[in-house]
Structure formats: structure tokens, C-alpha cells
């Protein structure tokens, strides 16, 4: 029964991230990688589902991309998305959700807003950029510094997403005893 719930939660968050893809992407001048709402879903998956299920939900999401489902912002999908300029960002999402989930789980009993903000910045921004920027530079044959400079345009939106995800995770912990019990029960 626990495995069924785990799979349902993972699939549900893959669907949430796909739904966030319905928000139109914001093009970034000088970069083929748009600003999307989907990294908000990555942060929420890790923060609400924990390491194992958060990472699993993003693996399900990547499987949907590979299958050609148009789940990425702008109704994109297919294996080409995982070898293009956005590939490093997208492929980092399972690890990002896992790391966020792991760190939130470790802080769950004494969860503070400032801790979750730092966790989301580390796992949802720094880690994603560390994978995304070099891949973008490689795919576009750009110097790493040029790719990094173009990524500066993403920081304000990503900080806003980190704050939104933090608010939701902390509020859900305080207001939803089922989520607190799920953390204990699904960890097994």
C-alpha cells in the first residue's frame, strides 16, 4: 500500500510540473533557454515529497519528456529537449528535488522559513545552474563565462520561485498533519 501511495504522489507531482509548463515561457534575449515556472515544481516536489519521492517524480517527468509528451513549457517534449541548450537544467531536476528533499527531511522537526529558503537556493538554483550553464555553453559552443552571464537573467525569477516554494512547504507542514505523517510513513 505504501508503494502505491508513493507512486501516486510521484505521478501527481510530475503532473503538477507539467501543468506549470502551461505558463508561457518568457524568452531571454541572447539565450535559447527560456524562463519557466517549472523549477517551482522541482522545489515543491523536493520540499513536500522528500528526497526519494521528489527525485522519483522528476524522473517520471523526464520519462514523459523522452516519450515525446509536450510537458515542457511552450508545449515542448521529445528526446531533442534533452540534448539541446536546456538539457543541463532539465536533467539536473531529479537531483535537485532529491537534494532539496533530503535537506528538508533533515530539518523537518525544526523547519524554519530561513532554512527552507537556503535549501531552495542551494538545491533549486545553484545546483541547477551548475549543471545547466556548462551544458548550454557546450551545446551552443559559447565560452562558459558568456553562458554564465546570460544566466544572470534567471536569478530574479528563480529567487521568487524559491520564496514561493518555501512559503508553501512551511505552511503545508504547519497546516497539514497528513503531510507530516506521510513524511514518516513513506520514508520506510
Amino acid at each position: 500500500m505504501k508503494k502505491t501511495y508513493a507512486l501516486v504522489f510521484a505521478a501527481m507531482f510530475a503532473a503538477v510540473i507539467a501543468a506549470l509548463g502551461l505558463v508561457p515561457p518568457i524568452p531571454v534575449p541572447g539565450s535559447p533557454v527560456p524562463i519557466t515556472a517549472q523549477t517551482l515544481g522541482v522545489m515543491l516536489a523536493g520540499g513536500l515529497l522528500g528526497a526519494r519521492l521528489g527525485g522519483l517524480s522528476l524522473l517520471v517527468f523526464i520519462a514523459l519528456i523522452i516519450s515525446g509528451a509536450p510537458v515542457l513549457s511552450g508545449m515542448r517534449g521529445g528526446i531533442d529537449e534533452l540534448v539541446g541548450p536546456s538539457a543541463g537544467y532539465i536533467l539536473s531536476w531529479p537531483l535537485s528535488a532529491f537534494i532539496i528533499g533530503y535537506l528538508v527531511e533533515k530539518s523537518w522537526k525544526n523547519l524554519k522559513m530561513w532554512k527552507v529558503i537556503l535549501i531552495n537556493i542551494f538545491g533549486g538554483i545553484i545546483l541547477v545552474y551548475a549543471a545547466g550553464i556548462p551544458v548550454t555553453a557546450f551545446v551552443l559552443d559559447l565560452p562558459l563565462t558568456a553562458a554564465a552571464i546570460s544566466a544572470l537573467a534567471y536569478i530574479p525569477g528563480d529567487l521568487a520561485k524559491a520564496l514561493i516554494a518555501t512559503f508553501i512547504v512551511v505552511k503545508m507542514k504547519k497546516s497539514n498533519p497528513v503531510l507530516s505523517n506521510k513524511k514518516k510513513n513513506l520514508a520506510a
Side-chain angles (χ1 to χ4, degrees), residues 7 13 21 29 33 40 57-58 61 66 73 75 85 96 109 113 124 128 137-138 141 143-144 151 153 156 172 185:
L7 292 175
F13 260 88
V33 180
L40 171 62
S57 70
L58 272 298
F61 185 77
I66 292 169
S73 187
M75 302 299 289
S96 175
K109 288 182 181 175
M113 191 81 70
V128 171
F138 175 77
D141 196 26
L144 192 57
M172 289 294 291
N185 294 337

Side-chain angles (χ1 to χ4, degrees), residues 9 13 19 37 44 59 74 117 119 135 151 166 171 178:
F9 279 118
F13 260 88
L44 287 171
L59 289 174
I117 290 170
I119 290 168
V135 172
T166 296
K171 287 296 181 185
V178 173

Side-chain angles (χ1 to χ4, degrees), residues 143-157:
L144 192 57
T145 54
I149 289 169
S150 72
L152 293 175
Y154 309 125
I155 291 176

Side-chain angles (χ1 to χ4, degrees), residues 17-47:
I17 296 163
L20 286 168
L22 296 174
V23 175
I26 301 169
V28 175
S31 175
V33 180
I35 296 171
T36 73
Q38 291 183 297
T39 48
L40 171 62
V42 174
M43 294 178 205
L44 287 171

